[in-house]
């Protein structure tokens, strides 16, 4: 007979009863057409019995000779109550399988019912002993019924009523089913209520976390920036929503200029780079010194102890000043314990020699000479000291006393070591001869309040000073005269100043909590202030290459900043590009293509922002639109020269000839999802379809718009096209026939400049000259909400995120904006940085970045959503510990790693003291 079950007994039914109750009938028959087989007849019998609400098993695939009854068949036999045997000649004489099924059923169910269906009196003719039909009632069926494969009504009626217990069991099934469904419903309801309660709890927890975290990073709530960032990122991980996305964006913008932030509960009073930029040293409020890896921000070893820790504890205590020697082998520090100390960078465990005594009050400032042989120090005792860096002896026995009549707040050597400059509470600067200990010339007068910080530039031709009068001043050290006007911009005392190594820039820190960059030549500020500290800045230093700045503040943090002049997110740079008009990511997210008014295409590395090769040339007019093929191997572009062109995305070489057909500028191009077709829109008010392989136009142009077709897009399944036009309307088209679908989508009050399908194809977003976006039902063409308002200029470009939950728009108001794709709600603050209108935007395939282009020439990359979280994680040294998670988040929410790749510390972290190499000169 048969061996392999391929037809479920209750296919298409609302419930698979055999899983609980087994089968009512097992039909055994000989496979094949009559007169030998009974396949069609058995199939019809099974179907008719199911219609009467019985469960039936039968199989219709022939088993190989000599095979055993397989597991599925055996299980069905064992779980069946009645065995029906279609007893024709083939089953009784030629089939071993029918006999095996009968014998196995009788072995398993000795008292079970076996009902033979006697086809054309076959039992009387061939009745074998194994059927055990003697004394049993069988059902007669005609040969015609078998030949036609249709069960006779009379037989079906008798089969239905004969086994009464089966009917009783059917009713029991329904009773049990109702009970089961009731219990299932109650369980489902309870499960839903538990799920809903858990969801609401997570949502409430996430909102609490981002609110608390934001207050901490802003200094409005105790806890500090590290804990604050932990909470905001954890809130996003616990429950992503518009609110947590907005919180991430707020923190990203707040910390975007900072490379990382580190905290010390005792306070960080001073910081400096090593001469090779590999290390940082900080002086701490507990009178210890800490070494750091400048790249990662990880502390190196335990704090170095040597200053008098009993003097720590007040706002003015701690290691007030630190500096590396030029060769990077030593550190000098000054403290409120009135001493100067030297440290060996390589061993780092003990200070070198005894403390340098001589000052009678707090040491406020220390510095090495360029050759590393001498140290200069300034003190509240109104003196300047010079020391032999090898022996620790004072050059002149006593600190210089003749000069300042108030506290010396800052000191520094000139690059050639021939002069010292000092700044004092007496509102003056003084120059000193380090060989004689005598002041040089008269005091430098110009500030109206204390001079808090002084520094020479690289060639010693300029001095910069900061003052309590909120200004910086530049000075000529030869004449002692100020250069130009004071540099104004800070709103409170300028506490610290420093030149970049090349002398072209100055950085200043202030009690107003900000850092400012200045052009050292013209004295003008460079870009916006660096914000993030929540209390006054007390120490700063440039890295040797001028790309980073370290600062520390009364907020107990050390922060590393990006000191590059280029504005936020200006990742790509080519001065020979003009008027960038369109941009797109490759499908793998590794490349970006942009097109511009120079008639060329440019390929870029999406990670480094570097151009990949030379510009791609071929068009003779401004290139207006560009797109990658879905497999990333080709690029299509559309130009004001009225043509489309296909390009090899790897080599940049053109593929075939220009695609001609439009009579005006090609304004928009797009590939279908399978890469076989291209659609283009044009100033000639039409769309055209193209074979992406041959470049041949497909059919006639698609007509229906009354103005320039400004934007086109395929639906994800490739069956439809949406277009937006200067006639203020959108239109849907059948991609196969080229016919319009329904009426135009009306609603915008200005040109429709951009359109896009959602990834699931159910929605369309459009942008317009009327400064709004609109969401549409892609099936009905109806608007899904009121216009989305937030831009102050034309909306030039719109795009869905890959998961369809968010929308990005670019506008003539020079900003990008993010939106919730379901509700249309604005998300967070505008992304600013472009200096001209944003003409094109696109999400990366993973949804963590956006690329935008503008008339300001170059593409820019912006992290978004998970990208914001990743950028914030770069500021942190680690994840929360599990104990911190329980305390700060909730013991009822399972631990979620906030920053994959960062260490998760144990609940009781242990510290080690590794040894570092000396920095190289």
């Amino acid at each position: 007979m048969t061996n392999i079950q391929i037809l479920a007994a209750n296919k298409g039914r609302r419930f698979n009863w055999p899983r609980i109750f087994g089968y009512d009938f097992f039909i055994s028959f000989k496979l094949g057409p009559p007169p030998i087989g009974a396949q069609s007849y058995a199939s019809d019998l099974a179907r008719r019995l199911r219609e009467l609400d019985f469960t039936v098993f039968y199989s219709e695939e022939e088993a190989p000779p000599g095979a055993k009854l397989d597991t599925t068949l055996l299980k069905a036999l064992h779980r069946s109550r009645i065995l029906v045997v279609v007893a024709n000649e083939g089953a009784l004489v030629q089939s071993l399988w029918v006999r095996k099924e009968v014998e196995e059923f009788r072995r398993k169910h000795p008292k079970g019912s076996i009902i033979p269906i006697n086809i054309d009196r076959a039992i009387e003719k061939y009745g074998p002993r194994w059927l055990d039909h003697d004394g049993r009632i069988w059902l007669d069926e005609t040969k015609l019924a078998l030949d036609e494969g249709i069960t006779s009504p009379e037989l079906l009626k008798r089969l239905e009523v004969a086994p009464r217990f089966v009917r009783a069991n059917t009713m029991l099934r329904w009773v049990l089913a109702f009970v089961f469904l009731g219990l299932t419903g109650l369980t489902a309801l309870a499960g839903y209520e538990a799920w809903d309660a858990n969801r609401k709890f997570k949502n409430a927890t996430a909102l609490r976390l981002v609110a608390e975290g934001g207050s901490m990073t802003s200094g409005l709530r105790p806890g500090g920036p590290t804990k604050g960032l932990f909470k905001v990122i954890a809130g996003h991980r616990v429950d992503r929503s518009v609110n947590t996305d907005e919180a991430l964006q707020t923190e990203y913008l707040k910390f975007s200029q900072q490379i990382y932030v580190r905290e010390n509960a005792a306070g960080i009073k001073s910081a400096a780079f090593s001469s090779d930029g590999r290390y940082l040293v900080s002086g701490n409020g507990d009178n210890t010194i800490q070494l750091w890896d400048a790249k990662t921000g990880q502390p190196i070893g335990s704090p170095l102890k040597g200053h008098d820790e009993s003097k720590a504890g007040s706002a003015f205590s701690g290691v007030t000043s630190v500096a590396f020697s030029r060769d990077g082998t030593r550190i000098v520090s000054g403290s409120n314990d009135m001493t100067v100390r030297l440290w060996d960078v390589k061993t780092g465990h003990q200070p070198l020699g005894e403390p340098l005594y001589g000052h009678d009050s707090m040491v406020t400032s220390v510095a090495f000479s360029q050759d590393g042989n001498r140290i200069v120090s300034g003190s509240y005792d109104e003196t300047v000291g010079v020391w032999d860096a090898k022996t620790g002896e004072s050059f002149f026995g006593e600190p210089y006393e003749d000069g300042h009549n108030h506290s010396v707040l800052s000191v520094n050597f000139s690059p050639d070591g021939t002069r010292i400059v000092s700044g004092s509470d007496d509102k003056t600067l003084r120059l000193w001869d380090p060989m004689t200990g005598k002041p040089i010339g008269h005091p430098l007068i110009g500030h109206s309040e204390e001079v808090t910080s002084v520094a020479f530039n690289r060639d010693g031709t300029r001095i910069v000073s900061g003052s309590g009068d909120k200004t910086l001043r530049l000075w000529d050290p030869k004449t002692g005269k100020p250069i130009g006007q004071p540099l104004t911009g800070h709103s409170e005392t300028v506490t610290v100043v420093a030149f970049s190594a090349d002398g072209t820039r100055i950085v200043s820190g202030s009690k107003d909590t900000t850092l400012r960059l200045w052009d050292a030549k013209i004295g003008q500020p460079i870009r916006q202030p660096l914000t993030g500290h929540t209390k006054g800045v007390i120490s700063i230093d440039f890295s040797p290459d001028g790309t980073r700045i370290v600062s520390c503040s009364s907020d107990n943090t050390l922060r590393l900043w990006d000191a590059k002049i280029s504005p936020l997110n200006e990742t790509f740079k080519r001065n020979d590009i003009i008027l960038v008009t369109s941009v797109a990511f490759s499908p793998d997210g590794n490349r970006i293509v942009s097109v511009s008014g120079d008639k060329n295409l440019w390929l870029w590395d999406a990670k480094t922002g570097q151009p990949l090769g030379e510009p791609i040339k071929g068009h003779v007019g401004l290139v207006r639109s560009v797109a990658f093929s879905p497999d990333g191997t080709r690029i299509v572009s559309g130009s004001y020269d009225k043509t489309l062109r296909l390009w090899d995305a790897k080599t940049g070489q053109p593929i075939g000839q220009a695609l001609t057909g439009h009579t005006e500028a090609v304004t928009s191009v797009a590939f279908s999802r399978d890469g076989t077709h291209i659609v283009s829109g044009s100033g000639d008010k039409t769309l055209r379809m193209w074979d992406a392989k041959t470049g041949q136009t497909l059919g006639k142009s698609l007509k229906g718009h009354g103005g320039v077709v400004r934007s086109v897009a395929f639906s994800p399944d490739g069956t439809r096209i949406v277009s937006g036009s200067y006639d203020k309307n959108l239109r849907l088209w059948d991609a196969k026939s080229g016919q319009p679908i329904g009426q135009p989508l009306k609603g915008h009050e200005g040109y429709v400049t951009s359109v896009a399908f959602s990834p699931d194809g159910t929605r369309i977003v459009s942008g317009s000259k009327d400064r709004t976006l609109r969401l549409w039902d892609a099936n009905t063409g109806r608007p899904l909400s009121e216009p989305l308002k937030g831009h102050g200029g034309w909306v030039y470009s719109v795009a869905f995120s890959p998961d369809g939950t968010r929308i990005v728009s670019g506008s003539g108001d020079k900003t990008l904006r993010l939106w919730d794709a379901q509700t249309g709600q604005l998300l967070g603050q505008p992304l600013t940085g472009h200096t001209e209108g944003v003409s094109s935007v696109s999400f990366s395939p993973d949804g963590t970045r956006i690329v935008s282009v503008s008339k300001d020439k170059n593409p820019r990359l912006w992290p978004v959503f998970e990208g914001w979280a990743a950028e914030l994680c770069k500021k942190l040294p680690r994840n929360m510990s599990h104990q911190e998670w329980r305390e700060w988040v909730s013991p009822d929410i399972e631990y979620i790693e906030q920053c994959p790749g960062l260490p998760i510390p144990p609940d009781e972290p242990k510290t080690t003291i590794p040894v570092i190499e000396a920095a190289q000169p």
Side-chain angles (χ1 to χ4, degrees):
M1 158 54 188
T2 61
N3 193 14
I4 302 175
Q5 178 190 13
I6 65 168
L7 183 64
N10 215 17
K11 186 176 181 181
R13 298 285 299 276
R14 289 173 295 175
F15 193 82
N16 193 359
W17 292 115
R19 292 182 180 178
I20 299 176
F21 298 100
Y23 298 97
D24 295 325
F25 294 98
F26 184 108
I27 300 176
S28 180
F29 64 99
K30 173 70 172 75
L31 192 71
I36 302 301
Q39 181 173 345
S40 296
Y41 181 85
S43 176
D44 182 68
L45 177 59
R47 179 182 63 82
R48 302 282 292 275
L49 287 172
R50 291 194 191 101
E51 289 175 354
L52 295 173
D53 201 34
F54 293 110
T55 56
V56 183
F57 178 94
Y58 92 107
S59 180
E60 59 182 6
E61 186 168 314
E62 184 72 46
K68 295 181 180 180
L69 294 176
D70 81 351
T71 304
T72 302
L73 196 83
L74 283 173
K75 286 182 178 179
L77 270 172
H78 296 167
R79 301 186 67 202
S80 298
R81 295 176 180 81
I82 297 175
L83 176 64
V84 174
V85 180
V86 182
N88 65 335
E89 178 184 353
L92 299 180
V93 177
Q94 301 183 28
S95 175
L96 295 176
W97 293 107
V98 173
R99 176 175 179 174
K100 287 186 177 182
E101 288 166 353
V102 170
E103 291 173 345
E104 179 63 23
F105 182 83
R106 185 171 292 116
R107 184 190 68 79
K108 183 66 177 177
H109 305 289
K111 297 182 179 180
S113 296
I114 298 178
I115 302 177
I117 298 177
N118 187 20
I119 304 295
D120 192 28
R121 303 179 64 80
I123 291 178
E124 290 95 321
K125 296 177 183 177
Y126 311 106
R129 294 183 179 179
W130 54 261
L131 184 59
D132 193 22
H133 57 282
D134 293 338
R136 296 179 184 272
I137 297 175
W138 60 74
L139 305 179
D140 291 314
E141 185 66 282
T142 65
K143 182 178 183 299
L144 179 63
L146 182 72
D147 293 342
E148 293 179 350
I150 299 175
T151 306
S152 63
E154 294 79 8
L155 183 140
L156 189 67
K157 187 175 181 180
R158 289 195 63 194
L159 194 60
E160 179 187 8
V161 300
R164 296 180 181 176
F165 76 91
V166 172
R167 175 57 60 198
N169 187 58
T170 299
M171 296 182 68
L172 174 62
R173 286 205 313 268
W174 282 110
V175 172
L176 291 177
F178 282 121
V179 173
F180 175 77
L181 290 174
L183 292 173
T184 301
L186 290 173
T187 302
L189 179 61
Y192 172 78
E193 290 179 345
W195 172 85
D196 189 53
N198 185 56
R199 179 185 62 83
K200 290 177 178 176
F201 173 67
K202 285 187 174 182
N203 177 257
T205 301
L207 294 179
R208 171 181 62 81
L209 288 169
V210 297
E212 292 175 353
S215 295
M216 289 175 181
T217 59
S218 298
L220 302 175
R221 185 187 186 103
T226 301
K227 185 176 179 180
L229 286 178
F230 277 148
K231 287 201 168 193
V232 171
I233 298 170
H236 174 72
R237 301 297 187 205
V238 168
D239 183 45
R240 184 186 173 186
S241 66
V242 169
N243 292 315
T244 58
D245 276 347
E246 285 185 337
L248 274 183
Q249 188 208 30
T250 298
E251 298 307 310
Y252 166 71
L253 294 175
K254 191 184 300 181
F255 286 87
S256 60
Q257 296 166 312
Q258 299 177 49
I259 299 172
Y260 55 73
V261 57
R262 299 293 182 262
E263 290 184 90
N264 185 319
I268 301 176
K269 303 294 184 177
S270 53
F273 273 100
S274 63
S275 56
D276 63 0
R278 294 170 59 192
Y279 305 114
L280 290 169
V281 62
S282 66
N284 303 326
D286 58 6
N287 261 332
T288 65
I289 291 171
Q290 180 66 60
L291 284 163
W292 307 79
D293 183 303
K295 183 176 182 180
T296 66
Q298 296 295 332
I300 299 173
S302 298
L304 311 182
K305 298 181 179 182
H307 283 293
D308 188 351
E309 295 177 55
S310 68
K311 299 292 185 181
S314 71
F316 300 99
S317 66
V319 177
T320 55
S321 184
V322 288
F324 274 96
S325 61
R326 179 75 173 172
D327 63 6
T329 62
R330 290 164 297 163
I331 294 167
V332 64
S333 60
S335 165
N336 73 318
D337 66 5
M338 301 185 289
T339 70
V340 176
R341 299 218 70 160
L342 280 164
W343 311 81
D344 186 298
V345 172
K346 189 172 183 180
T347 62
H349 298 294
Q350 299 293 330
L352 288 171
E354 296 299 315
L356 309 186
Y357 292 104
H359 287 294
D360 297 327
S361 187
M362 174 191 291
V363 178
T364 57
S365 182
V366 293
F368 274 103
S369 61
Q370 287 288 92
D371 59 12
N373 293 329
R374 286 169 293 171
I375 295 164
V376 63
S377 60
S379 170
Y380 272 7
D381 64 10
E382 305 178 7
T383 68
V384 175
V386 177
W387 316 81
D388 186 303
K390 293 183 178 179
T391 66
E393 296 297 322
S394 173
F395 268 87
F396 303 104
E398 296 292 336
Y400 305 161
E401 295 182 348
D402 297 328
H404 289 297
N405 54 30
H406 281 285
S407 302
V408 177
L409 303 179
S410 181
V411 292
N412 229 315
F413 274 102
S414 63
D416 61 6
T418 63
R419 285 164 296 171
I420 293 169
V421 65
S422 60
S424 169
D425 228 349
D426 64 10
K427 307 177 186 178
T428 71
L429 293 78
R430 296 222 69 155
L431 288 166
W432 307 81
D433 185 325
M435 303 304 295
T436 66
K438 301 297 184 182
I440 300 173
H442 297 289
L444 282 60
I445 299 173
H447 284 296
S448 59
E449 297 292 341
E450 72 275 13
V451 178
T452 56
S453 184
V454 290
F456 275 99
N457 68 350
R458 178 178 62 174
D459 59 10
T461 60
R462 294 287 187 273
I463 295 169
V464 66
S465 60
S467 169
D469 63 13
K470 308 175 187 178
T471 71
L472 293 80
R473 298 213 71 149
L474 286 165
W475 308 83
D476 185 322
K478 288 186 177 180
T479 66
K481 300 294 184 182
I483 300 172
Q485 297 299 310
L487 282 58
T488 59
H490 284 294
S491 59
E492 294 192 39
T493 297
V494 178
T495 52
V496 280
V497 291
F499 273 103
S500 60
D502 62 6
T504 61
R505 287 172 295 158
I506 297 166
V507 64
S508 59
S510 168
K511 285 186 177 179
D512 65 11
T513 74
T514 71
L515 290 78
R516 282 184 171 264
L517 281 165
W518 311 82
D519 185 304
K521 185 175 182 180
I522 62 175
Q524 293 298 311
I526 301 171
R527 76 181 193 185
Q528 296 300 308
L530 304 178
T531 59
H533 282 298
T534 57
K535 293 185 180 179
V537 181
I538 54 179
S539 180
I540 53 175
D541 192 24
F542 264 107
S543 64
D545 61 5
T547 63
R548 295 166 293 164
I549 296 167
V550 64
S551 67
C552 52
S553 160
S554 300
D555 63 11
N556 296 346
T557 68
L558 176 149
R559 301 180 190 231
L560 196 69
W561 307 79
D562 185 339
K564 294 189 288 292
I565 297 174
S566 58
L568 179 67
N569 300 99
E570 192 170 22
T571 311
F572 307 83
K573 194 70 176 175
R574 285 287 299 219
N575 293 325
D576 51 350
I577 296 177
I578 59 171
L579 188 64
V580 183
T581 54
S582 184
V583 68
F585 268 102
S586 63
D588 61 7
N590 293 329
R591 291 170 296 161
I592 289 169
V593 63
S594 66
V595 296
S596 67
D598 59 9
K599 307 175 186 178
N600 301 326
L601 290 79
W602 289 86
L603 280 168
W604 308 83
D605 185 301
K607 292 183 178 180
T608 66
Q610 296 299 311
L612 298 171
E614 295 301 312
I616 300 172
K617 301 186 178 187
H619 283 294
V620 295
L622 181 149
V623 186
R624 192 65 191 82
S625 184
V626 68
F628 271 100
S629 63
D631 62 5
T633 62
R634 291 166 296 161
I635 295 168
V636 65
S637 57
S639 167
Y640 276 21
D641 64 12
K642 306 177 187 179
T643 72
L644 292 81
R645 299 216 67 152
L646 281 164
W647 313 86
D648 185 301
K650 187 174 182 180
T651 66
Q653 295 299 309
I655 300 173
Q657 300 299 311
L659 282 58
T660 60
H662 284 295
T663 59
E664 296 291 341
V666 179
T667 57
S668 185
V669 291
F671 273 100
S672 61
R673 178 66 67 88
D674 61 7
T676 60
H677 296 92
I678 296 168
V679 64
S680 59
S682 169
D684 62 15
K685 306 178 185 179
T686 71
L687 293 80
R688 296 205 75 120
M689 294 280 292
W690 311 82
D691 186 302
K693 187 175 182 180
T694 66
Q696 296 298 310
T697 185
L698 300 173
K700 297 180 179 179
S701 57
L702 282 60
K703 298 180 179 180
H705 281 297
V708 171
V709 179
R710 181 63 182 77
S711 183
V712 293
F714 272 101
S715 63
D717 63 5
T719 62
R720 292 170 295 164
I721 297 165
V722 65
S723 57
S725 168
Y726 280 6
D727 64 10
K728 305 180 184 179
N729 300 328
L730 290 79
R731 295 218 70 153
L732 282 165
W733 310 81
D734 185 298
K736 187 174 183 180
S737 67
Q739 295 300 309
I741 300 172
Q743 297 300 310
L745 282 61
K746 297 178 179 289
H748 281 296
E749 297 176 0
Y751 299 160
V752 178
T753 55
S754 184
V755 292
F757 270 100
S758 63
D760 63 4
T762 62
R763 290 164 295 158
I764 295 166
V765 65
S766 58
S768 168
K769 178 186 176 182
D770 64 14
R771 306 182 182 184
T772 72
L773 292 78
R774 298 212 70 153
L775 281 166
W776 311 83
D777 186 306
N779 294 316
T780 66
R782 294 177 181 174
L784 293 172
S785 65
E786 294 298 313
L788 312 186
K789 298 179 179 180
H791 281 297
W794 287 32
V795 179
Y796 285 117
S797 185
V798 292
F800 274 98
S801 62
D803 63 4
T805 63
R806 302 288 188 259
I807 294 166
V808 65
S809 56
S811 168
D813 64 11
K814 308 175 188 176
T815 72
L816 292 79
R817 300 223 67 162
L818 291 157
W819 312 78
D820 184 285
Q822 292 296 328
T823 65
Q825 179 181 342
L826 259 177
L827 197 159
Q829 299 301 309
L831 300 177
T832 60
H834 282 294
T835 57
E836 298 288 344
V838 180
S839 54
S840 182
V841 293
S842 178
F843 272 99
S844 63
D846 63 3
T848 64
R849 294 171 293 165
I850 293 168
V851 65
S852 63
V853 293
S854 160
K855 292 179 182 178
D856 61 11
K857 297 184 180 181
N858 294 295
R860 295 190 185 187
L861 274 173
W862 310 81
V864 288
F865 313 123
E866 289 303 314
W868 290 331
E871 289 298 315
L872 290 174
C873 282
K874 292 177 183 178
K875 324 294 181 188
L876 295 168
R878 60 178 179 86
N879 283 285
M880 289 186 204
S881 68
H882 286 81
Q883 180 177 340
E884 288 169 335
W885 180 274
R886 291 189 294 270
E887 293 174 356
W888 298 348
V889 179
S890 173
D892 299 317
I893 297 176
E894 187 175 351
Y895 184 91
I896 303 171
E897 194 174 8
Q898 307 95 62
C899 299
L902 289 183
I904 302 174
D907 289 347
E908 295 181 4
K910 298 179 180 179
T911 58
T912 58
I913 308 175
V915 175
I916 65 168
E917 308 175 20
Q920 298 302 312

